[in-house]
Amino acid sequence: MLHADDVIQRLYEAPPDGFVAARAEAIAAARQAGDREAAKRLAALKKPTVAAWVVNLVALRRPDLIEELVELSTALRAAQRELRGDQLRELSTQRRQFVASLVAAARKLATGAGAGAAKLPLGDVEATFTAALAEPEIAGQVRTGRLIRAVSHSGFGEVPRPRLRLVTDSPEDASFSSPDTSEGPDTDARELTVAEQRSREREHQAERRSRELERELNAATAAERRADRQLERAEDAEREAGHLVEDLDAELAELERRRTEAVADVARRKTARRTAEREAAEARRRVGDVQAALDDLHR
């Protein structure tokens, strides 16, 4: 039997429609070889979605492309942290081009492995590569070649949300005293002061509204993250239930095969018993005939 890691790589390289049967075969081989640890590892493997399988193909057969992805991801995050606009735009262009080349390579590998090009979920594949560029953790998962589902990323990189420089509601900022008419009868100056006051009032209103929207945005973002986590948990639970059904189906198929073999063995043994009964009866008859001949001889 191959080493467990080699078997796992072979399982994740093969199209997912044959994953369950191949896993059951590998588990049986490991148990027959007495390798209980390998059998346990293999039993814990999950069937990948088609999109995850396509990404795994790139990681397993073109690891050089994944290394380029990691390097570009590092450069993008560095540019974002330092807010280098020109470099960031250039790297963003490279990102789009590189993701397109990754998807093209993935499509070629998948069709070469026997998958129909029209049925490939290339949108999910692209989303996974884009997420890997944005988040080191996802890039690390992609690098293993053992994804079980596609992933996505709502934003890109580590660019922090802009912090608004707001004017506080301090007495100094909020003091809009009426112009002192005793300083002079200049009507134009008074009108200008009123206009400035109204302008500052509008600015304060805009700033308050900005703070309100910022709070609403933060709350909505937190709610979105909670919903995403809940969705992921629901998807994981659904997937686990699906894997359990697949495992039980495989076990039922194995039990049905063994039952068929057992029924056939019972039939063979029944035939052998009947043959033995006939032979025993024939032997008894012959014993009787010989005994009778001896009795006649001694009379």
Side-chain angles (χ1 to χ4, degrees):
M1 179 184 174
L2 293 174
H3 190 273
D5 288 334
D6 296 329
V7 175
I8 293 172
Q9 177 170 334
R10 186 180 62 186
L11 286 171
Y12 281 101
E13 276 186 320
D17 54 359
F19 183 89
V20 174
R23 180 184 58 189
E25 181 181 349
I27 293 171
R31 288 173 178 168
Q32 186 175 4
D35 193 343
R36 298 178 62 183
E37 184 61 29
K40 184 178 179 180
R41 287 183 62 192
L42 293 168
L45 299 179
K46 305 301 182 184
K47 177 182 176 181
T49 63
V50 175
W53 167 66
V54 175
V55 174
N56 290 338
L57 276 181
V58 179
L60 295 172
R61 298 186 180 178
R62 292 295 308 276
D64 56 308
L65 293 178
I66 303 303
E67 293 305 318
E68 289 184 36
L69 180 149
V70 172
E71 292 176 4
L72 180 58
S73 174
T74 301
L76 275 166
R77 288 194 300 276
Q80 288 165 343
R81 284 193 296 269
E82 298 171 12
L83 297 177
R84 298 196 299 267
D86 293 340
Q87 183 181 9
L88 184 58
R89 284 190 292 272
E90 180 181 352
L91 288 171
S92 297
T93 301
Q94 291 182 24
R95 173 180 62 85
R96 290 190 295 271
Q97 295 173 346
F98 185 59
V99 169
S101 67
L102 283 173
V103 173
R107 181 179 184 277
K108 182 177 180 180
L109 288 171
T111 54
K119 296 182 179 181
L120 290 177
L122 296 181
D124 291 338
V125 173
E126 180 179 359
T128 300
F129 285 134
T130 300
L133 279 167
E135 299 183 18
E137 182 179 353
I138 296 177
Q141 294 173 3
V142 169
R143 181 184 274 172
T144 66
R146 298 180 186 179
L147 285 182
I148 60 173
R149 62 182 176 87
V151 293
S152 60
H153 181 66
S154 58
F156 186 81
E158 301 176 347
V159 178
R161 187 179 304 283
R163 299 180 62 184
L164 298 178
R165 185 174 181 273
L166 301 176
V167 178
T168 60
D169 294 327
S170 63
E172 292 182 359
D173 295 325
S175 61
F176 298 107
S177 58
S178 300
D180 188 355
T181 56
S182 63
E183 295 182 356
D186 190 345
T187 304
D188 292 338
R190 288 198 301 272
E191 290 179 354
L192 179 59
T193 303
V194 172
E196 289 177 349
Q197 178 180 342
R198 291 175 178 172
S199 176
R200 293 184 65 184
E201 288 176 348
R202 286 194 296 270
E203 289 177 1
H204 276 276
Q205 290 174 357
E207 289 163 1
R208 284 194 294 271
R209 181 56 177 162
S210 177
R211 286 195 296 270
E212 292 174 359
L213 291 174
E214 186 71 15
R215 287 193 293 269
E216 291 179 9
L217 177 60
N218 291 335
T221 300
E224 179 186 24
R225 290 173 180 169
R226 289 194 297 270
D228 287 341
R229 287 194 295 270
Q230 184 176 359
L231 175 60
E232 288 180 1
R233 288 194 293 269
E235 290 175 344
D236 289 341
E238 179 185 12
R239 190 175 302 103
E240 289 294 332
H243 288 319
L244 178 60
V245 171
E246 292 171 352
D247 291 342
L248 290 175
D249 286 341
E251 291 178 10
L252 285 173
E254 176 63 17
L255 290 173
E256 183 63 28
R257 182 188 65 79
R258 292 171 58 186
R259 179 182 180 280
T260 301
E261 291 179 353
V263 169
D265 187 55
V266 168
R268 287 193 299 270
R269 292 177 184 275
K270 183 180 292 186
T271 300
R273 176 183 61 78
R274 289 174 177 172
T275 300
E277 287 176 346
R278 287 194 299 270
E279 291 176 351
E282 179 63 20
R284 285 193 293 271
R285 185 186 62 78
R286 290 180 61 190
V287 168
D289 291 345
V290 172
Q291 187 64 48
L294 285 173
D295 292 341
D296 292 340
L297 183 64
H298 292 330
R299 285 178 186 172

